[in-house]
Each structure stands twice: as C-alpha cells, then as structure tokens.
Amino acid sequence: MRVLVVEDELKLASLLQHGLEDEGFGVDVAVSGEQAVAGAVATEYDAIVLDIVLPGIDGFEACRRLRAEQVWSPTLMLTARDDVESRVRGLDCGADDYLLKPFSFDELLARLRALVRRGAAPRPTVLEVDDLRLDPATHRAWRGPIEIELTAREFALLETLMRRAGRVLSRFELLEHIWSESYEHRSNVVDVYIGYLRDKIDRPFGRQSLETVRGVGYRLRGTEP
Ligand code: CA
C-alpha cells in the first residue's frame, strides 16, 4: 500500500510518514498542492492524505485537479475543527473523507484502511453523458455550453437517468428514486416529468436523447465517459 502525504508543516508530515511506515505503508511526502498533483498523476497511490492549507494551490484545488485528471486514489482531507464549510467543500471537490485536526493517529489509520478497502473506482463529482453535464453539488446542469434551469424534481430525475445512462429504467424504478413512498404509483407523474425534461434538455437543442422504451420505461441515450 502506497500513500501520498500532502502537508507543508514538516513536523506533522514527518510524523505521519514515520507512523505510516511503521504500519507497513510505503509513504511519499509532497509539500505543495502542485507537487501533490504531479506526484499523484505519475504514481498510482492507494490513498492520499491531503491537507487543505498549502502554499500555492490549496488542498481543494489539488483534489479538483486530480479528479479532473481521472486520478481516483481515495483521498482523506485534513480540515480544521469547527469548519463545516471546508468539510463540505472538500467532499464536493472529490475528497472521500475528512479528519479534523488535531487528530489521533489511530483514527487516521482506521479511516485510511476503510478508504483503501473502497478502492479507486471512478467517482466523478460532475456527471457527463455526451454533452450533458450535471453538478449535484451546485445543482447546475448544462447542454454543451448552455446552462439549463431545472426544478428540484427535474434535476433529480435527470441525475437518476444520467447515473444509469444507456440503461432502461422502468416508471416504477424512477418513482422509487425520486418520489416518496407515499406517492400514488398509478399516477402518470413520471411521464409528465419526462415531458418537462424533454422540453428542457432535448427539444431546444434538436435532440432526442430521452427515449421512450414502449412497455418498459425510459432510457437516456449515451454512456458516461
Ligand atoms: Ca498545511
């Protein structure tokens, strides 16, 4: 298991390095965001410990750039106590977990082990299917360069379809994902919302990406890259 520790406070960096080496990890240290990005693109790390406050680009930007480069190494962000905004921002930038400073080394180890178990499968923060893009964190969606205004339900429906692009989803599956259990299952609410969505993501662009599969349900054409 090889870990990249990104921390510019040398004392903490060396403490982490030696502690992790004692546990059998191979450890590299980066002291800036730029160095972290270059290192993690070049070497496939099993996990990254990433501090937020760094010289040059910060931990958020480093994490964003890594995910943009398709580097999916599980990432644990170190954040200051009582800073909810940083924790939220870190996760939205593509981090997988966070640890509040100061932390116990045992907890860091346990979190790292849990992250390594989950592996480095692609988990983009922004969904893309052909030229449709959707950002769940900011609730924004685009067709090519054009931003599309969606209601909360339309957004949820599009997100569900994009996460399963190319697959046929039944009305029931869509109902289950987007509407509460109490919703009247016989209603045509799904068909109505598919219509709303087509008016926003397809018709203005001369597209037919949202297909009706007769007798089964709906499918968003295309695959995630
Ligand atoms: Ca730091």
Side-chain angles (χ1 to χ4, degrees):
M1 290 292 128
R2 192 140 173 216
V3 177
L4 178 65
V5 171
V6 188
E7 172 59 273
D8 60 317
E9 292 156 55
L10 296 180
K11 213 171 142 190
L12 179 55
S14 116
L15 209 76
L16 285 174
Q17 181 173 22
H18 294 126
L20 289 168
E21 281 173 353
D22 285 347
E23 295 293 326
F25 288 93
V27 182
D28 295 322
V29 173
V31 294
S32 72
E34 284 87 352
Q35 206 188 343
V37 173
V41 167
T43 302
E44 203 176 300
Y45 287 101
D46 296 292
I48 299 171
V49 178
L50 180 60
D51 190 38
I52 290 174
V53 183
L54 298 164
I57 64 167
D58 60 15
F60 302 121
E61 180 59 17
C63 192
R64 208 190 53 73
R65 288 193 194 176
L66 283 173
R67 298 319 188 212
E69 295 282 344
Q70 310 288 315
V71 172
W72 303 112
S73 304
T75 298
L76 176 65
M77 211 164 236
L78 304 179
T79 74
R81 199 166 282 278
D82 301 327
D83 189 356
V84 178
E85 203 191 319
S86 287
R87 272 138 47 194
V88 171
R89 201 169 149 210
L91 295 170
D92 283 342
C93 285
D96 300 282
D97 195 6
Y98 60 83
L99 192 57
L100 305 181
K101 274 176 154 182
F103 48 85
S104 95
F105 185 71
D106 285 344
E107 184 177 0
L108 177 113
L109 261 185
R111 288 187 183 274
L112 271 187
R113 282 194 299 265
L115 284 183
V116 169
R117 278 200 296 274
R118 283 187 235 161
R123 32 193 197 296
T125 50
V126 175
L127 304 177
E128 288 185 48
V129 176
D130 296 330
D131 64 344
L132 265 182
R133 279 186 305 134
L134 179 140
D135 184 350
T138 58
H139 265 250
R140 297 175 72 190
W142 302 262
R143 168 74 87 185
I146 298 171
E147 183 159 4
I148 303 167
E149 299 288 335
L150 298 171
T151 65
R153 280 276 154 81
E154 291 163 357
F155 192 91
L157 180 59
L158 182 59
E159 181 176 356
T160 302
L161 288 159
M162 286 179 76
R163 288 194 184 281
R164 295 158 186 81
R167 270 180 46 196
V168 183
L169 293 166
S170 69
R171 285 178 181 78
F172 181 70
E173 283 176 286
L174 291 169
L175 267 173
E176 269 196 326
H177 278 287
I178 296 147
W179 282 271
S180 66
E181 290 231 338
S182 60
Y183 223 88
E184 179 57 64
H185 280 195
R186 280 171 301 165
S187 74
N188 64 345
V189 64
V190 172
D191 309 80
V192 169
Y193 271 84
I194 289 281
Y196 293 159
L197 213 46
R198 279 182 174 141
D199 283 340
K200 293 189 175 180
I201 68 164
D202 277 348
R203 290 202 181 96
F205 303 93
R207 302 293 187 87
Q208 292 183 318
S209 68
L210 237 173
E211 293 177 293
T212 303
V213 181
R214 203 169 283 276
V216 188
Y218 296 100
R219 168 169 55 203
L220 183 68
R221 222 177 274 184
T223 48
E224 284 189 67

